[in-house]
Amino acid sequence: MRSSKPSILFWMAMAVLGRLLIATLFEHWGLLAEPLMYLSGYLKQHQAEYYRRLSNIRTEGDWESLGDFLLEGVCVAAADAEHSIIEVASLVAADRKRLLRVTKGGASQLPTG
């Protein structure tokens, strides 16, 4: 006997499709040249809430709360991406300074270890 309720595999598939759709729409709308955010991390961290809101679409037709949830996720993912970009830029700048010191002062100024 099969249940008429969607299985967990259905919800997992919906989650994957939702993440792909969000990234594709942002690219299509010209908001991003390419996906730079990791929304999947937010969705995984808040998985129970994500599935609850997906279920509310089926049971109550509540699309708005899912939209609010996803927008919150985009904000969090964007802040995380910004933080990562700043960290990488700082590392690049520090390495550039070390390389410039080496080329001006010789290889003896390279840190060992």
Side-chain angles (χ1 to χ4, degrees), residues 25 28 39 43 52 54 62 69 71 76 87 93 96 106 108 111:
L25 285 172
H28 177 75
L39 188 56
L43 295 177
R52 185 184 71 74
L54 282 174
D62 184 11
F69 175 77
L71 287 175
V76 170
E87 283 182 357
R96 181 175 289 141
S108 63

Side-chain angles (χ1 to χ4, degrees), residues 4-62:
S4 63
K5 293 184 179 179
S7 69
I8 190 67
L9 292 175
F10 170 79
W11 293 118
M12 291 171 72
M14 291 298 294
V16 170
L17 289 173
R19 287 184 290 242
L20 291 172
L21 179 62
I22 290 166
T24 302
L25 285 172
F26 281 175
E27 285 182 76
H28 177 75
W29 293 332
L31 299 173
L32 291 173
E34 58 186 58
L36 299 174
M37 298 181 301
Y38 182 62
L39 188 56
S40 295
Y42 178 83
L43 295 177
K44 188 169 193 128
Q45 189 175 28
H46 300 89
Q47 185 174 10
E49 180 66 14
Y50 180 48
Y51 288 159
R52 185 184 71 74
R53 292 189 190 220
L54 282 174
S55 181
N56 284 348
I57 292 171
R58 182 178 52 82
T59 60
E60 300 170 24
D62 184 11

Side-chain angles (χ1 to χ4, degrees), residues 100-113:
L100 289 173
R101 274 197 316 259
V102 168
T103 57
K104 290 180 182 177
S108 63
Q109 294 198 9
L110 269 178
T112 57

